């Protein structure tokens, strides 16, 4: 067997473009509440927290559905599951457009959560792993670098469409985008998975998964970091204000955070061939802990707040990639699909719960309690990642041309 044949496969540029466009549309469209929440609240007679609870329902549903979809990903392949999810997302947005009160509004978000579990980040990562196995790390990092721009692209788009046809009309346009853009992209832009050899069960090409204790360490480390990053991002402005930063400055720092996080994903992408997700997770955890300690000791001075945004943005941006790439250090092919689907359950539930939990702690116990809790979570996760170094499978001998 030639050395070239032993190199990991790489997703084609066409596959990356298809996934990037569809993922930007998917994440950008479900983020519409950031723009239209006041209009929805006034129209449906709901308060703002109830409107934003729709996104929490989205994440919770995605998490609960992920283990159920695990078998479909392994048996039928990610492309087939994503096609079905795109078809289902259309009725979800139609239901949102036709909502007349809280019950129908939340029901639409449940449907969108089912569709999201089949189409969004976890599904895209599984598809790239089907193509490239452990060589998918850079492709996943590149995809997440691009999709990090979804809110920057879709918030003004949503505002423009809402100005033309109202929030209900915007939902109908996004339903059309699911049917007439994402569905053809997945159906025609992605090739069907190659059929397995005769007598081989789909997904059986996976390496034997590490013992269950390794899986739980991976899941706990990823989930603890997600609790911190999703929770802090939601309450960042209020946290900085409580620390003594003026509200206009806090808003400015919050706007900087997204730019820094996207930049961190770019750095991780450029170094994707030199280190794996476990190494990235360790480095990012150290950055986040350092940022939290600095913020706690600074007293809210503008200079310290800016350094906090820089360090925290770099660390949290890399951790967003680690959530998808860390299992690649331990699993391949079908085993990755199983592991990623099972990790998605606690990950999405934490994503839904972290903002209200940290907001409650901030208002009830103060910023010190928030920093103590989040710092403890990241330290614990970093310790877990350190212990995982002993569980990592031996890397194959590098192949030279």
């Amino acid at each position: 067997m030639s050395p070239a044949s032993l190199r990991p496969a790489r997703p084609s540029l066409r596959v990356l473009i298809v996934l990037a466009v569809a993922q930007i549309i998917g994440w950008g469209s479900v983020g519409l509440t950031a723009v239209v929440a006041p209009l929805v609240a006034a129209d449906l007679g709901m308060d703002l927290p109830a409107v934003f609870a729709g996104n929490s329902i989205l994440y919770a549903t995605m998490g609960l559905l992920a283990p159920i979809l695990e078998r479909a990903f392994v048996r039928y392949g990610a492309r087939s599951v994503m096609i079905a999810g795109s078809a289902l997302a259309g009725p979800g947005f139609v239901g949102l457009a036709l909502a007349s009160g809280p019950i129908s509004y939340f029901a639409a978000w449940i449907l969108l959560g089912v569709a999201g579990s089949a189409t969004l980040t976890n599904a895209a990562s599984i598809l790239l792993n089907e193509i490239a196995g452990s060589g998918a790390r850079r492709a996943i990092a590149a995809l997440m670098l691009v999709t990090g721009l979804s809110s920057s692209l879709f918030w003004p788009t949503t505002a423009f469409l809402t100005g033309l046809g109202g929030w209900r009309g915007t939902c109908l346009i996004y339903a059309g985008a699911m049917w007439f853009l994402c569905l053809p992209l997945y159906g025609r832009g992605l090739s069907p998975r190659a059929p397995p050899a005769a007598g081989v069960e789909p997904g059986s090409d996976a390496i034997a998964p590490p013992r269950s204790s390794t899986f739980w360490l991976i899941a706990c480390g990823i989930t603890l970091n997600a609790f911190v990053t999703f929770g802090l991002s939601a309450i960042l402005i209020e946290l900085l204000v409580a620390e003594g930063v003026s509200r206009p400055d806090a808003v400015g720092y919050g706007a900087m955070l997204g730019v820094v996080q996207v930049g961190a994903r770019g750095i991780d992408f450029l170094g994707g061939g030199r280190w794996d997700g476990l190494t990235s997770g360790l480095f990012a955890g150290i950055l986040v802990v350092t940022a939290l300690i600095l913020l706690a000791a600074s007293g809210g001075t503008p200079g310290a707040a800016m350094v906090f945004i820089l360090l925290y943005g770099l660390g949290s941006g890399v951790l967003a990639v680690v959530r998808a790439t860390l299992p690649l250090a331990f699993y391949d092919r079908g085993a990755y699909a199983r592991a990623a689907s099972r990790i998605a359950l606690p990950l999405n539930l934490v994503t839904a719960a972290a903002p209200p939990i940290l907001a409650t702690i901030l208002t009830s116990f103060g910023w010190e309690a928030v920093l103590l809790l989040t710092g403890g979570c990241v330290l614990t996760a970093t310790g877990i990642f350190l212990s995982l170094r002993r569980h990592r499978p031996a890397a194959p001998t590098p192949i030279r041309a």
Side-chain angles (χ1 to χ4, degrees):
M1 185 178 293
S2 67
S5 66
L6 293 175
R7 294 191 185 100
R10 294 182 180 179
S12 67
L13 180 60
R14 183 190 69 177
V15 169
L16 290 176
I17 291 174
V18 166
L19 289 177
V21 172
Q23 292 292 297
I24 287 174
I25 294 172
W27 279 117
S29 58
V30 297
L32 84 168
T33 48
V35 178
V36 304
L39 300 176
V40 176
D43 200 2
L44 300 184
M46 300 166 60
D47 57 23
L48 279 177
V51 173
F52 282 110
N55 290 104
S56 295
I57 290 174
L58 170 84
Y59 286 118
T61 305
M62 287 174 62
L64 292 171
L65 260 291
I68 298 174
L69 287 177
E70 168 196 331
R71 186 176 296 274
F73 278 119
V74 173
R75 185 169 187 82
Y76 302 109
R79 173 182 175 271
S80 298
V81 177
M82 295 169 88
I83 289 172
S86 295
L88 189 61
F93 279 111
V94 171
L96 206 56
L98 299 177
S100 57
I103 294 178
S104 52
Y105 175 77
F106 293 142
W109 280 109
I110 291 174
L111 197 56
L112 287 171
V114 175
S117 186
T119 58
L120 294 179
T121 302
N122 188 54
S125 298
I126 290 173
L127 185 136
L128 290 173
N129 180 261
E130 288 177 359
I131 297 172
S134 59
R137 180 175 172 5
R138 291 199 73 198
I140 292 173
L143 181 62
M144 297 192 71
L145 173 63
V146 175
T147 55
L149 302 172
S150 59
S151 60
S152 299
L153 294 173
F154 262 75
W155 284 358
T157 300
T158 298
F160 173 75
L161 294 175
T162 302
L164 292 179
W167 72 271
R168 294 181 186 273
T170 301
C171 290
L172 291 176
I173 291 173
Y174 287 161
M178 295 298 112
W179 284 327
F180 302 114
L181 288 177
C182 292
L183 192 57
L185 280 172
Y186 290 137
R188 299 180 181 178
L190 301 177
S191 301
R193 187 174 66 178
V200 178
E201 187 70 16
S204 63
D205 60 329
I207 63 170
R211 58 186 182 274
S212 60
S213 62
T214 301
F215 169 80
W216 288 113
L217 287 172
I218 296 171
C220 288
I222 289 175
T223 302
L224 284 171
N225 279 326
F227 174 81
V228 173
T229 56
F230 279 102
L232 283 184
S233 295
I235 68 163
L236 180 65
I237 293 175
E238 297 305 321
L239 176 65
L240 293 176
V241 169
E243 268 263 332
V245 178
S246 69
R247 185 167 292 276
D249 285 346
V251 172
Y253 292 139
M256 287 173 52
L257 179 63
V259 177
V260 177
Q261 288 174 327
V262 171
R265 294 184 184 189
I267 294 171
D268 188 76
F269 164 70
L270 293 175
R274 299 179 179 88
W275 56 76
D276 61 13
L278 183 55
T279 303
S280 293
L282 287 168
F283 176 71
I286 293 170
L287 283 179
V288 172
V289 169
T290 303
L292 294 173
I293 293 173
L294 176 64
L295 185 63
S298 68
T301 61
M306 184 172 294
V307 176
F308 164 76
I309 290 295
L310 178 61
L311 294 179
Y312 173 74
L314 288 172
S316 59
V318 172
L319 286 175
V321 182
V322 169
R323 288 195 289 272
T325 59
L326 176 59
L328 288 172
F330 300 87
Y331 300 93
D332 195 8
R333 308 295 182 183
Y336 176 88
R338 295 186 181 97
S341 297
R342 294 173 187 177
I343 291 170
L345 173 56
L347 177 61
N348 282 284
L349 293 179
V350 161
T351 299
I357 289 175
L358 289 189
T360 300
I361 293 174
L362 178 63
T363 55
S364 301
F365 303 103
W367 60 266
E368 299 94 338
V370 171
L371 296 181
L372 183 63
L373 175 61
T374 53
C377 287
V378 179
L379 278 174
T380 303
T382 305
I384 289 172
F385 288 169
L386 279 171
S387 70
L388 278 170
R389 297 179 68 184
R390 300 192 303 269
H391 297 234
R392 180 164 44 189
T397 303
I399 300 171
R400 301 183 182 276

